[in-house]
Each structure stands twice: as structure tokens, then as C-alpha cells.
Amino acid sequence: MKLSNGLLLLCVLYAAEATNSSGAENANLQIPTVDAMLTKLEKINWKLSQLQIDLNEHREAMERNRDCVTSNAASLEESTTPAATTTTTPEPPIRSYSSCRNVPTKASGVYHIRLNNVSLINVYCEQEKFGGGWMVIQHRFNGSVDFYRNWTEYRDGFGELDGEFWLGLEHVHQLTRARTYELIVEMKDFKGNYGYTRYIRFKVDSESQQYELTLASGLDSGRAGDGLYGCHTGVKFSTRDRDNDETPDEHYAVRYTGAWWYCMGGGVSNLNGPYKNSIDTWNSTVWYYFKADLRGLSYTRMMIREI
């Protein structure tokens, strides 16, 4: 580049010198020497070099700015792009019923029942025997659960619905105060003899009334006899730490190692007593009028159904 510019400049000077020597009007023109011309040429080349350096620096600066702008734009786009949201399928509402009688299936099992149409409780519904629609409130069949419990446990309930359990006096009270229920008590002894008793109306009063029992007369004895209606009706519930029986000098919940509506003299039933195969003691699961003796029972189940 520099050589081309220099040659071009020499040609121009040579042409100017030839023209001046042939024309009279240029006789007095001062022609610069070759050294002066080369000096000017060097200055011009130096300036051209500086311009080339400035141009390169400018180009590099432009490249850096472009990269920076591109990077910032990408970052801005990433920060302003809405984050991907995870969509979840809403859980289906829990199916609940006002009573076991309103469960539409004939399959026995655990269902959600509305307590006073507000809170939900899990209960075991018997849907096959006695026309179905029965809610189990007590079940014993193998002695795996200790029924010698305190007041709080009998109030709130204990055990598992697919095993031995007591539903809880407070739940039974809330159910029977709102609607009218009937009761069936099933039993079987260790020899396999089976029977039941069915009552027209069953109700348990509030805790402030010590869960007093209200019971109408038996509708169907079912070969088990009446183990509740007699003296047990109108009696408060007793546990080992709450003596509500009608005998002042006795605490039958402790004496019989259970929890029940014990009336004067203890009564004729003790379904929450110790689980054992016995024949002559109240200190077991007893329903006296089943066989008119004190045999222990291998199976008991209490069920209520809305009328």
C-alpha cells in the first residue's frame, strides 16, 4: 500500500517537472527536491498507518459491543420468559354419606360418614347382613386389642376398623342425637354357637351426662336374649378411672376389668371385659342371657343403623 502511494506521487512530480520545463510561464516555479518529496511521503504513510490502527481498534470495539448487546439480550429474554409451571390434576372430592344406609354399594368396608353433616369420620359399614346399612361401633373376635382402657380412650375410640375396635362414645353420641338408630348385638361362644339381639331404639347421651344409655325394648331376640334393656337402660358409662355404676360400694369397671353401662349389682352383660374362654366368671366377655351362664364369648359385634 505504501509503495503504490509512493510511486503514484513520483509520477505526479515527474509530470509536473516536465510540464514546467517546457512552458515559459512556469520558468519561475520552485520545484521541490526528491528528498523533500520522500519526507512528505513518509509523513503521509505514517498518518495512513495511524488511521489503519484507529480503524482496527474501532472495529474491535464494535465487535465487543455487539457481543455484549447479544449477551444482554439473551439474559433479558431468559429473565422475562415465564417459568414453566407444573400442572397438577386436582384430587377428586371425598365421597361421604350421611349414614351407612345411604352407601350405594352392597360391599362391606370402611366409608366416610358425615358427623352432624359437618365433620367426617371413618366407619366400618356392614352391607351384607341384616339387609345392610349397619355401622359397627364395637367388634371383638381374637383378643388382639386390650379393652381395659380409661375414660378418654372410650370417649375417643381405639383399635383399627379392619380389626378389633371401639368406635368412641362421642362419635356414637353425635350420631344418635341427630337421628334415630336401632341396635343389633351379635355374639358367638368358643363352641361356635351364634346369636343376636336387636333393639328398636339406641341412643347415647352427651359426655356431660356421662354417656348415659337410652334403649327401647328388644325387637328380635335372635336367640341371644336381652342383655341390655333391663337395668342397663338409663345408666351412665363407667371405666377403670370413672366410676359411674349404681352400686356405691363397688367399682364394677375395675372388678370386671372392663368398661360398660354397669347397673345395680353389675348387670347381666360385660362385652368389653377380658377376652378369654371361660365358663364361670363375670371377668370376661359376658352376655348372661345368651346361654343363661357366664361363658366367655369369642366374637361380639355391636352395630347401629339409622331408621
Side-chain angles (χ1 to χ4, degrees):
M1 179 69 180
K2 292 181 179 180
L3 181 59
S4 299
N5 291 334
L7 292 175
L8 177 60
L9 183 57
L10 288 174
C11 291
V12 171
L13 293 175
Y14 177 77
E17 184 179 356
T19 302
N20 291 335
S21 61
S22 59
E25 65 279 9
N26 295 325
N28 297 323
L29 182 62
Q30 297 292 328
I31 298 174
T33 64
V34 174
D35 292 337
M37 289 295 183
L38 290 175
T39 300
K40 290 183 178 181
L41 181 60
E42 288 296 332
K43 290 182 179 180
I44 291 172
N45 285 333
W46 181 81
K47 289 183 178 181
L48 288 174
S49 297
Q50 289 298 115
L51 289 174
Q52 187 67 41
I53 292 171
D54 293 341
L55 180 61
N56 290 337
E57 291 179 353
H58 180 70
R59 184 181 293 111
E60 290 176 0
M62 291 293 292
E63 290 291 337
R64 288 194 298 270
N65 290 338
R66 185 180 65 183
D67 293 341
C68 182
V69 171
T70 302
S71 177
N72 290 338
S75 300
L76 180 61
E77 181 179 0
E78 182 178 354
S79 64
T80 56
T81 300
T85 57
T86 302
T87 58
T88 57
T89 303
E91 295 184 1
I94 298 175
R95 295 192 64 180
S96 62
Y97 309 93
S98 60
S99 71
C100 289
R101 192 162 193 167
N102 293 327
V103 174
T105 177
K106 291 298 182 181
S108 299
V110 178
Y111 294 91
H112 300 291
I113 299 299
R114 294 188 295 273
L115 198 62
N116 289 333
N117 292 321
V118 180
S119 58
L120 295 180
I121 60 171
N122 291 333
V123 304
Y124 189 94
C125 295
E126 171 57 61
Q127 298 295 87
E128 300 165 35
K129 296 187 66 175
F130 304 107
W134 294 92
M135 181 188 305
V136 182
I137 65 173
Q138 188 254 34
H139 194 193
R140 305 186 73 182
F141 55 89
N142 61 10
S144 60
V145 174
D146 181 12
F147 271 64
Y148 191 43
R149 306 278 185 131
N150 62 31
W151 179 266
T152 300
E153 291 171 297
Y154 268 95
R155 180 192 66 195
D156 299 339
F158 55 85
E160 300 295 335
L161 294 177
D162 58 352
E164 294 194 332
F165 71 92
W166 174 265
L167 184 62
L169 289 165
E170 184 60 30
H171 290 155
V172 175
H173 162 64
Q174 294 294 337
L175 289 164
T176 58
R177 66 173 265 194
R179 300 180 179 89
T180 303
Y181 281 81
E182 57 181 327
L183 168 71
I184 278 185
V185 182
E186 292 184 287
M187 63 201 71
K188 186 186 297 184
D189 65 19
F190 282 89
K191 295 181 179 180
N193 298 309
Y194 171 84
Y196 70 89
T197 297
R198 187 170 181 171
Y199 294 92
I200 296 174
R201 188 171 183 271
F202 173 79
K203 180 181 179 182
V204 172
D205 214 330
S206 65
E207 184 176 17
S208 64
Q209 297 300 315
Q210 309 300 307
Y211 298 118
E212 182 178 318
L213 174 65
T214 299
L215 198 68
S217 60
L219 174 66
D220 181 3
S221 66
R223 300 185 304 277
D226 180 14
L228 275 182
Y229 179 62
C231 72
H232 294 274
T233 301
V235 175
K236 297 174 173 57
F237 199 83
S238 292
T239 61
R240 68 189 188 191
D241 59 340
R242 189 77 65 92
D243 183 8
N244 289 321
D245 62 51
E246 296 185 329
T247 307
D249 58 346
E250 283 284 1
H251 189 174
Y252 282 107
V254 174
R255 181 175 176 179
Y256 293 166
T257 322
W260 199 243
W261 295 276
Y262 298 109
C263 54
M264 183 66 68
V268 294
S269 59
N270 184 35
L271 293 190
N272 292 330
Y275 184 91
K276 60 184 177 180
N277 186 1
S278 59
I279 59 173
D280 59 357
T281 176
W282 283 101
N283 204 312
S284 63
T285 52
V286 173
W287 188 273
Y288 179 79
Y289 288 113
F290 178 40
K291 296 296 179 180
D293 58 23
L294 302 181
R295 69 183 61 197
L297 300 172
S298 66
Y299 173 89
T300 65
R301 189 165 70 159
M302 300 174 66
M303 304 186 297
I304 61 175
R305 181 171 68 178
E306 182 182 359
I307 299 175

PDB file of all heavy atoms in Angstrom, residues 4 22 54 84 110 127 137 171 182 199 206 235 239 244 261 289:
ATOM      1  N   SER A   4       2.731   1.655  -3.428  1.00  0.00           N
ATOM      2  CA  SER A   4       1.840   2.139  -4.500  1.00  0.00           C
ATOM      3  C   SER A   4       1.624   3.618  -4.385  1.00  0.00           C
ATOM      4  O   SER A   4       1.651   4.363  -5.374  1.00  0.00           O
ATOM      5  CB  SER A   4       0.506   1.397  -4.438  1.00  0.00           C
ATOM      6  OG  SER A   4       0.705   0.005  -4.631  1.00  0.00           O
ATOM      7  N   SER A  22       8.928  22.929 -20.123  1.00  0.00           N
ATOM      8  CA  SER A  22       8.532  23.227 -21.487  1.00  0.00           C
ATOM      9  C   SER A  22       7.704  24.486 -21.592  1.00  0.00           C
ATOM     10  O   SER A  22       7.569  25.041 -22.675  1.00  0.00           O
ATOM     11  CB  SER A  22       7.736  22.050 -22.090  1.00  0.00           C
ATOM     12  OG  SER A  22       6.581  21.826 -21.285  1.00  0.00           O
ATOM     13  N   ASP A  54      -6.264   3.047  14.095  1.00  0.00           N
ATOM     14  CA  ASP A  54      -7.512   3.542  14.693  1.00  0.00           C
ATOM     15  C   ASP A  54      -8.715   2.778  14.162  1.00  0.00           C
ATOM     16  O   ASP A  54      -9.668   2.474  14.901  1.00  0.00           O
ATOM     17  CB  ASP A  54      -7.662   5.038  14.409  1.00  0.00           C
ATOM     18  CG  ASP A  54      -6.618   5.872  15.125  1.00  0.00           C
ATOM     19  OD1 ASP A  54      -6.025   5.336  16.107  1.00  0.00           O
ATOM     20  OD2 ASP A  54      -6.407   7.031  14.731  1.00  0.00           O
ATOM     21  N   ALA A  84     -41.734 -22.272  33.487  1.00  0.00           N
ATOM     22  CA  ALA A  84     -42.712 -23.317  33.186  1.00  0.00           C
ATOM     23  C   ALA A  84     -43.403 -23.750  34.463  1.00  0.00           C
ATOM     24  O   ALA A  84     -42.769 -23.988  35.485  1.00  0.00           O
ATOM     25  CB  ALA A  84     -42.012 -24.515  32.533  1.00  0.00           C
ATOM     26  N   VAL A 110     -64.833 -49.861  54.848  1.00  0.00           N
ATOM     27  CA  VAL A 110     -64.675 -48.566  55.501  1.00  0.00           C
ATOM     28  C   VAL A 110     -65.184 -47.460  54.577  1.00  0.00           C
ATOM     29  O   VAL A 110     -64.809 -47.404  53.405  1.00  0.00           O
ATOM     30  CB  VAL A 110     -63.204 -48.311  55.873  1.00  0.00           C
ATOM     31  CG1 VAL A 110     -63.043 -46.937  56.509  1.00  0.00           C
ATOM     32  CG2 VAL A 110     -62.707 -49.402  56.825  1.00  0.00           C
ATOM     33  N   GLN A 127     -72.695 -54.204  54.987  1.00  0.00           N
ATOM     34  CA  GLN A 127     -73.655 -54.018  53.915  1.00  0.00           C
ATOM     35  C   GLN A 127     -74.312 -55.327  53.451  1.00  0.00           C
ATOM     36  O   GLN A 127     -75.116 -55.292  52.514  1.00  0.00           O
ATOM     37  CB  GLN A 127     -72.964 -53.351  52.710  1.00  0.00           C
ATOM     38  CG  GLN A 127     -72.392 -51.965  52.993  1.00  0.00           C
ATOM     39  CD  GLN A 127     -73.458 -50.951  53.307  1.00  0.00           C
ATOM     40  OE1 GLN A 127     -73.866 -50.803  54.456  1.00  0.00           O
ATOM     41  NE2 GLN A 127     -73.950 -50.271  52.278  1.00  0.00           N
ATOM     42  N   ILE A 137     -69.956 -50.354  65.801  1.00  0.00           N
ATOM     43  CA  ILE A 137     -69.420 -49.491  66.862  1.00  0.00           C
ATOM     44  C   ILE A 137     -68.548 -50.258  67.847  1.00  0.00           C
ATOM     45  O   ILE A 137     -67.817 -49.650  68.636  1.00  0.00           O
ATOM     46  CB  ILE A 137     -70.542 -48.744  67.613  1.00  0.00           C
ATOM     47  CG1 ILE A 137     -71.445 -49.731  68.359  1.00  0.00           C
ATOM     48  CG2 ILE A 137     -71.335 -47.864  66.657  1.00  0.00           C
ATOM     49  CD1 ILE A 137     -72.480 -49.044  69.262  1.00  0.00           C
ATOM     50  N   HIS A 171     -68.478 -40.142  69.234  1.00  0.00           N
ATOM     51  CA  HIS A 171     -68.983 -40.338  67.878  1.00  0.00           C
ATOM     52  C   HIS A 171     -70.391 -40.940  67.904  1.00  0.00           C
ATOM     53  O   HIS A 171     -71.287 -40.500  67.166  1.00  0.00           O
ATOM     54  CB  HIS A 171     -68.049 -41.245  67.082  1.00  0.00           C
ATOM     55  CG  HIS A 171     -66.742 -40.608  66.744  1.00  0.00           C
ATOM     56  ND1 HIS A 171     -65.600 -41.347  66.503  1.00  0.00           N
ATOM     57  CD2 HIS A 171     -66.385 -39.313  66.614  1.00  0.00           C
ATOM     58  CE1 HIS A 171     -64.598 -40.515  66.231  1.00  0.00           C
ATOM     59  NE2 HIS A 171     -65.058 -39.276  66.300  1.00  0.00           N
ATOM     60  N   GLU A 182     -81.356 -47.885  65.418  1.00  0.00           N
ATOM     61  CA  GLU A 182     -81.613 -49.163  66.060  1.00  0.00           C
ATOM     62  C   GLU A 182     -80.274 -49.850  66.314  1.00  0.00           C
ATOM     63  O   GLU A 182     -79.231 -49.408  65.796  1.00  0.00           O
ATOM     64  CB  GLU A 182     -82.504 -50.043  65.182  1.00  0.00           C
ATOM     65  CG  GLU A 182     -81.960 -50.309  63.788  1.00  0.00           C
ATOM     66  CD  GLU A 182     -82.899 -51.158  62.948  1.00  0.00           C
ATOM     67  OE1 GLU A 182     -83.592 -52.029  63.525  1.00  0.00           O
ATOM     68  OE2 GLU A 182     -82.934 -50.962  61.706  1.00  0.00           O
ATOM     69  N   TYR A 199     -82.513 -54.247  68.997  1.00  0.00           N
ATOM     70  CA  TYR A 199     -83.260 -53.275  69.784  1.00  0.00           C
ATOM     71  C   TYR A 199     -83.843 -52.192  68.881  1.00  0.00           C
ATOM     72  O   TYR A 199     -83.206 -51.754  67.919  1.00  0.00           O
ATOM     73  CB  TYR A 199     -82.357 -52.628  70.843  1.00  0.00           C
ATOM     74  CG  TYR A 199     -81.885 -53.607  71.897  1.00  0.00           C
ATOM     75  CD1 TYR A 199     -80.688 -54.287  71.740  1.00  0.00           C
ATOM     76  CD2 TYR A 199     -82.637 -53.843  73.034  1.00  0.00           C
ATOM     77  CE1 TYR A 199     -80.246 -55.181  72.694  1.00  0.00           C
ATOM     78  CE2 TYR A 199     -82.219 -54.747  74.001  1.00  0.00           C
ATOM     79  CZ  TYR A 199     -81.016 -55.412  73.825  1.00  0.00           C
ATOM     80  OH  TYR A 199     -80.587 -56.308  74.770  1.00  0.00           O
ATOM     81  N   SER A 206     -74.784 -37.197  76.067  1.00  0.00           N
ATOM     82  CA  SER A 206     -73.533 -36.443  75.940  1.00  0.00           C
ATOM     83  C   SER A 206     -72.541 -36.803  77.052  1.00  0.00           C
ATOM     84  O   SER A 206     -72.884 -37.473  78.037  1.00  0.00           O
ATOM     85  CB  SER A 206     -73.836 -34.943  76.005  1.00  0.00           C
ATOM     86  OG  SER A 206     -74.352 -34.611  77.284  1.00  0.00           O
ATOM     87  N   VAL A 235     -78.470 -45.908  82.434  1.00  0.00           N
ATOM     88  CA  VAL A 235     -77.277 -45.977  83.269  1.00  0.00           C
ATOM     89  C   VAL A 235     -76.110 -45.262  82.575  1.00  0.00           C
ATOM     90  O   VAL A 235     -75.992 -45.293  81.349  1.00  0.00           O
ATOM     91  CB  VAL A 235     -76.906 -47.451  83.548  1.00  0.00           C
ATOM     92  CG1 VAL A 235     -75.588 -47.554  84.309  1.00  0.00           C
ATOM     93  CG2 VAL A 235     -78.019 -48.124  84.323  1.00  0.00           C
ATOM     94  N   THR A 239     -65.687 -46.512  83.407  1.00  0.00           N
ATOM     95  CA  THR A 239     -64.383 -47.044  83.008  1.00  0.00           C
ATOM     96  C   THR A 239     -63.554 -47.233  84.268  1.00  0.00           C
ATOM     97  O   THR A 239     -63.991 -46.897  85.372  1.00  0.00           O
ATOM     98  CB  THR A 239     -63.656 -46.081  82.041  1.00  0.00           C
ATOM     99  OG1 THR A 239     -63.447 -44.828  82.711  1.00  0.00           O
ATOM    100  CG2 THR A 239     -64.470 -45.846  80.777  1.00  0.00           C
ATOM    101  N   ASN A 244     -69.136 -44.764  87.475  1.00  0.00           N
ATOM    102  CA  ASN A 244     -70.492 -44.234  87.339  1.00  0.00           C
ATOM    103  C   ASN A 244     -71.561 -45.307  87.547  1.00  0.00           C
ATOM    104  O   ASN A 244     -72.725 -45.089  87.206  1.00  0.00           O
ATOM    105  CB  ASN A 244     -70.672 -43.618  85.944  1.00  0.00           C
ATOM    106  CG  ASN A 244     -69.899 -42.326  85.760  1.00  0.00           C
ATOM    107  OD1 ASN A 244     -69.823 -41.500  86.671  1.00  0.00           O
ATOM    108  ND2 ASN A 244     -69.293 -42.158  84.593  1.00  0.00           N
ATOM    109  N   TRP A 261     -71.977 -50.021  80.754  1.00  0.00           N
ATOM    110  CA  TRP A 261     -73.079 -49.399  81.467  1.00  0.00           C
ATOM    111  C   TRP A 261     -73.473 -50.350  82.615  1.00  0.00           C
ATOM    112  O   TRP A 261     -74.443 -51.115  82.524  1.00  0.00           O
ATOM    113  CB  TRP A 261     -74.259 -49.158  80.534  1.00  0.00           C
ATOM    114  CG  TRP A 261     -73.966 -48.167  79.439  1.00  0.00           C
ATOM    115  CD1 TRP A 261     -74.042 -46.804  79.528  1.00  0.00           C
ATOM    116  CD2 TRP A 261     -73.586 -48.446  78.087  1.00  0.00           C
ATOM    117  NE1 TRP A 261     -73.717 -46.211  78.332  1.00  0.00           N
ATOM    118  CE2 TRP A 261     -73.426 -47.209  77.411  1.00  0.00           C
ATOM    119  CE3 TRP A 261     -73.335 -49.623  77.368  1.00  0.00           C
ATOM    120  CZ2 TRP A 261     -73.052 -47.110  76.073  1.00  0.00           C
ATOM    121  CZ3 TRP A 261     -72.962 -49.535  76.044  1.00  0.00           C
ATOM    122  CH2 TRP A 261     -72.824 -48.296  75.404  1.00  0.00           C
ATOM    123  N   TYR A 289     -77.782 -63.816  79.249  1.00  0.00           N
ATOM    124  CA  TYR A 289     -78.972 -64.471  78.732  1.00  0.00           C
ATOM    125  C   TYR A 289     -78.763 -65.179  77.393  1.00  0.00           C
ATOM    126  O   TYR A 289     -79.690 -65.791  76.867  1.00  0.00           O
ATOM    127  CB  TYR A 289     -80.124 -63.471  78.604  1.00  0.00           C
ATOM    128  CG  TYR A 289     -80.683 -63.076  79.954  1.00  0.00           C
ATOM    129  CD1 TYR A 289     -80.540 -61.775  80.435  1.00  0.00           C
ATOM    130  CD2 TYR A 289     -81.338 -64.009  80.750  1.00  0.00           C
ATOM    131  CE1 TYR A 289     -81.049 -61.417  81.669  1.00  0.00           C
ATOM    132  CE2 TYR A 289     -81.850 -63.662  81.990  1.00  0.00           C
ATOM    133  CZ  TYR A 289     -81.690 -62.365  82.447  1.00  0.00           C
ATOM    134  OH  TYR A 289     -82.189 -62.029  83.687  1.00  0.00           O
TER     135      TYR A 289
END
